[in-house]
């Protein structure tokens, strides 16, 4: 290895930017960030892009440390034995260590007609497309949002608040994560916006057509625009490169976030599956995991043993338009408490959370190594109670 250590980070989202910034603590480390877009996308704002209240783009100069080299391009293959990545342009970039932070996008749309007629919003380009289609529709046109999770609720509320005729099809419970008390508050706010919420077992979507959505209970809903927010999927880059992944395609790692195949490859964010038990996909987790991935690389460069990841989830916040939200407090094992904050106070906390998701990156760029996060004590219990894959991975970091 040369005197200078080359680290390549694939993916410029919350995890990748945090990792890249944190790696600049060492002056003998050269960091290259590879991302398909020339701008950072704060995904927490994509529903606002659809609703027209935010463009969901931040200049990388605001969030990326000055010492990080930004390469705009798509990685098509990781050559782990050769320690280089191949780009769609045909160029290659060599590395001593690789941080795999490719993030997530929409899950494959398997419901009949969904791939042809439904519109995902999990990426900047997808959300911009929905915004364009929406702008061309008359105000009374029926809009259906499929998915009762945070993304679906936030998108539906954003559109209803702007006078759109919106039906939210949950396919089950409305935001299952929320405590029942908080869920009732959310339902009341959505009703107040004039939004129709269809929840329960009969609301699973069975087909999508150009102008309608069909449900499991036989109902057919008119829909001039169907927005699809059900599930997330990860790129297949790791699997296509011969690295071990879980069933969803996330890179399998040990508890230090190191690939089970190669200690020079470390994963972070939505595309990581430590011990086969991935953390809940979120911007918050992505930033924390990005920081931990960087710490793992820095420990290895220094000849030290990396620490296992330790992360707890203190809250989840769901916006209900621009003037209300539910800020749900959580236990360390990521289950909802009875305690939550709603209404305008919740909306203020949601906006603070969105702002801080970017501020954490800018702070780390200015002072590498400064980011910290709440720790928990529940993960090792989960690992002890997990399957063979989880137990084997846990043993590697015990």
């Amino acid at each position: 290895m040369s005197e200078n250590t080359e680290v390549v980070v694939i993916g410029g989202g919350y995890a990748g930017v945090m990792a890249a910034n944190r790696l600049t603590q060492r002056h003998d480390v050269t960091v290259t960030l590879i991302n398909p877009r020339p701008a950072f996308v704060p995904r927490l704002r994509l529903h606002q892009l659809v609703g027209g209240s935010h463009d969901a783009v931040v200049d990388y100069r605001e969030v990326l440390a000055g010492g990080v080299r930004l390469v705009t391009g798509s990685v098509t293959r990781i050559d782990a034995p050769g320690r280089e990545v191949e780009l769609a342009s045909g160029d290659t970039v060599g590395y001593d260590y690789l941080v795999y932070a490719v993030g997530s996008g929409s899950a494959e749309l398997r419901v009949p007609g969904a791939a042809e007629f439904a519109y995902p919003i999990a990426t900047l380009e997808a959300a911009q497309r929905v915004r364009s289609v929406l702008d061309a529709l008359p105000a009374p046109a029926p809009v259906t949002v499929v998915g009762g999770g945070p993304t679906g609720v936030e998108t539906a509320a954003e559109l209803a608040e702007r006078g759109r005729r919106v039906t939210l099809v949950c396919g089950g419970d409305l935001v299952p994560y929320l405590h029942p008390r908080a869920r009732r508050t959310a339902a009341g706010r959505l009703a107040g916006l004039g939004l129709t919420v269809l929840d329960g077992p009969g609301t699973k979507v069975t087909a999508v057509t150009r102008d309608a959505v069909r449900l499991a209970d036989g109902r057919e809903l008119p829909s001039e625009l169907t927005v699809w927010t059900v599930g997330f999927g990860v790129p297949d880059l790791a699997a296509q490169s011969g690295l071990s992944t879980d069933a969803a395609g996330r890179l399998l790692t040990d508890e230090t976030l190191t690939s089970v195949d190669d200690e020079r490859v470390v994963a972070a964010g939505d595309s990581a599956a430590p011990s086969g038990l991935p953390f809940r996909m979120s911007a918050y987790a992505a930033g924390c995991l990005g920081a931990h991935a960087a710490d793992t690389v820095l420990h290895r460069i220094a000849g030290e043993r990396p620490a296992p990841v330790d992360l707890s989830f203190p809250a989840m916040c769901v916006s209900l338009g621009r003037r209300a939200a539910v800020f749900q407090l959580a236990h360390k094992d990521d289950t909802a408490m009875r305690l939550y904050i709603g209404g305008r106070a919740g909306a203020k906390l949601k906006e603070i959370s969105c702002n801080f998701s970017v501020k954490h990156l800018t702070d780390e760029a200015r002072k590498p190594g400064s980011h910290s996060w709440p720790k928990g004590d529940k993960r090792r219990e989960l690992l002890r109670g997990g399957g063979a894959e989880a137990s084997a991975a846990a043993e590697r970091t015990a």
Side-chain angles (χ1 to χ4, degrees), residues 6-230:
E6 302 280 346
V7 183
V8 168
V9 180
I10 306 177
Y14 294 103
V17 171
M18 178 62 77
N21 288 346
R22 199 172 184 90
L23 286 162
T24 62
Q25 289 177 78
R26 288 185 63 122
H27 298 296
D28 59 350
V29 171
T30 300
V31 185
T32 299
L33 178 72
I34 304 174
N35 192 63
R37 305 177 194 87
F40 175 75
V41 178
R43 285 181 59 179
L44 292 175
R45 301 286 193 184
L46 286 179
H47 66 284
Q48 289 184 252
L49 169 58
V50 172
S53 63
H54 203 285
D55 60 7
V57 173
V58 175
D59 194 307
Y60 268 122
R61 288 174 294 185
E62 296 183 30
V63 298
L64 203 56
V68 176
R69 180 170 74 107
L70 176 64
V71 174
T72 302
S74 297
V75 176
T76 56
R77 181 174 174 269
I78 300 167
D79 178 5
R83 293 185 195 163
E84 67 177 18
V85 298
E86 300 172 4
L87 306 184
S89 64
D91 293 335
T92 61
V93 181
Y95 67 83
D96 295 310
Y97 289 92
L98 177 72
V99 177
Y100 185 81
V102 297
S104 63
S106 298
E108 185 178 353
L109 277 61
R110 298 180 181 276
V111 172
E116 295 83 3
F117 303 115
Y119 291 80
I121 62 166
T123 65
L124 176 67
E125 294 78 12
Q128 289 172 333
R129 184 181 178 210
V130 173
R131 176 74 255 166
S132 175
V133 172
L134 195 64
D135 285 344
L137 286 179
V143 176
T144 302
V145 178
V146 180
T151 303
V153 169
E154 292 184 334
T155 303
E158 201 81 21
L159 297 180
E161 192 173 62
R162 281 156 179 73
R164 289 289 178 174
R165 181 182 159 200
V166 183
T167 299
L168 175 64
V169 178
C170 296
D173 290 335
L174 175 71
V175 197
Y177 180 90
L178 295 180
H179 188 278
R181 296 173 66 241
R183 195 177 302 129
R184 287 192 291 271
T185 294
R189 169 63 180 173
L190 295 176
L193 291 173
L195 195 155
T196 300
V197 176
L198 302 180
D199 58 357
T203 60
K204 185 178 177 63
V205 173
T206 58
V208 180
T209 66
R210 189 180 302 278
D211 56 8
V213 172
R214 295 182 190 134
L215 306 185
D217 60 11
R219 281 179 286 181
E220 184 167 307
L221 312 174
S223 183
E224 293 296 316
L225 170 62
T226 301
V227 181
W228 197 270
T229 71
V230 180

